[in-house]
Amino acid sequence: AQTVTQSQPEMSVQEAETVTLSCTYDTSENNYYLFWYKQPPSRQMILVIRQEAYKQQNATENRFSVNFQKAAKSFSLKISDSQLGDTAMYFCAFMPYSQKLVFGQGTRLTINP
Amino acid sequence: DTGVSQNPRHKITKRGQNVTFRCDPISEHNRLYWYRQTLGQGPEFLTYFQNEAQLEKSRLLSDRFSAERPKGSFSTLEIQRTEQGDSAMYLCASSSFSGIFYNEQFFGPGTRLTVL
């Protein structure tokens, strides 16, 4: 069975700081996708960034970047120059070929002014 | 295209009542997924459709749950004889599956169910 673990239930940083959210996963599959989703309070889930397992290069989207360590089954998200609008629940998710997303428990991130 | 919509956004019901939720996917998306998110947890897969065919159901989906997607457009999720443990956010997502590996799933705002 595939599992995703986020070990940080909550994190809080000051605006403009850099923050890293951790995620580990377990799977026996060799080809898959990994994602970070953002769920703002009372708003729908949106995709922040994705990583293809067969690509060694870490994905980057503006202020968001990942550190993908396939052998260690680790997939962390770094948010640079954090903004108040980054306050949200962040979910790490795994997608096998079946397309059924497997989510972690989430990390509640608060950006303080 | 207004994205994935779900109705109602909130539902409060008494234990033992039946409830039905609706999801309207992005037009022409052939795949539709249902997930359940309990408080403080990540979403968990319930079931999914490709067009009108229900291809898989999670073991989380007891006999009291039924989902349909007539004509491959909108989908309904019905819970019969609701229990307090059914209280959760029910999320719908859709994607355009073309046979290649990756197809982004777009999520709706969810229906929050509270069973009293």
Side-chain angles (χ1 to χ4, degrees):
Chain A
Q2 294 120 354
T3 59
V4 177
T5 302
Q6 293 179 247
S7 59
Q8 304 152 313
E10 294 188 31
M11 294 192 73
S12 178
V13 298
Q14 296 299 120
E15 193 175 7
E17 289 184 345
T18 294
V19 60
T20 299
L21 309 183
S22 302
C23 172
T24 58
Y25 60 95
D26 190 24
T27 183
S28 58
E29 300 199 17
N30 194 47
N31 199 13
Y32 48 86
Y33 281 77
L34 293 163
F35 306 93
W36 279 97
Y37 281 89
K38 172 184 178 181
Q39 189 177 41
S42 301
R43 293 180 60 187
Q44 60 208 79
M45 192 147 353
I46 58 175
L47 180 63
V48 174
I49 196 165
R50 75 170 187 263
Q51 174 76 42
E52 298 154 274
Y54 63 88
K55 287 190 175 180
Q56 291 185 333
Q57 185 175 7
N58 290 322
T60 300
E61 289 285 344
N62 300 314
R63 299 183 295 108
F64 299 86
S65 61
V66 298
N67 183 2
F68 174 48
Q69 302 290 326
K70 190 173 184 179
K73 294 180 181 173
S74 170
F75 182 62
S76 61
L77 173 71
K78 185 171 81 171
I79 305 174
S80 303
D81 185 27
S82 57
Q83 301 174 359
L84 297 179
D86 295 333
T87 293
M89 283 290 291
Y90 285 81
F91 292 97
C92 178
F94 169 93
M95 179 190 277
Y97 184 75
S98 69
Q99 310 283 297
K100 296 180 296 182
L101 286 166
V102 179
F103 288 86
Q105 305 93 318
T107 296
R108 183 179 303 278
L109 176 65
T110 302
I111 310 299
N112 299 305
Chain B
D1 189 353
T2 56
V4 179
S5 61
Q6 292 186 245
N7 289 288
R9 294 290 307 276
H10 303 273
K11 179 71 176 178
I12 299 174
T13 191
K14 293 182 178 179
R15 188 177 54 187
Q17 297 295 305
N18 299 343
V19 294
T20 301
F21 312 140
R22 176 176 170 131
C23 171
D24 287 89
I26 293 172
S27 60
E28 300 189 6
H29 273 190
N30 55 358
R31 282 223 174 160
L32 188 148
Y33 301 81
W34 285 99
Y35 295 87
R36 182 171 68 187
Q37 184 178 17
T38 53
L39 204 59
Q41 299 296 317
E44 295 175 293
F45 168 79
L46 290 179
T47 187
Y48 81 98
F49 294 82
Q50 181 155 319
N51 299 314
E52 66 275 9
Q54 187 173 18
L55 297 187
E56 187 169 344
K57 294 191 293 185
S58 162
R59 55 183 170 80
L60 293 176
L61 219 61
S62 75
D63 292 344
R64 298 183 297 105
F65 288 71
S66 62
E68 294 183 338
R69 193 184 182 197
K71 303 179 183 177
S73 55
F74 70 91
S75 176
T76 58
L77 177 67
E78 180 183 17
I79 309 175
Q80 296 182 327
R81 305 181 304 281
T82 53
E83 301 173 356
Q84 288 186 326
D86 297 331
S87 294
M89 176 77 85
Y90 290 84
L91 297 171
C92 175
S94 71
S95 72
S96 180
F97 182 71
S98 57
I100 63 172
F101 194 137
Y102 172 69
N103 306 271
E104 182 176 348
Q105 292 182 26
F106 295 85
F107 282 83
T111 294
R112 182 169 296 283
L113 173 66
T114 301
V115 181
L116 302 176

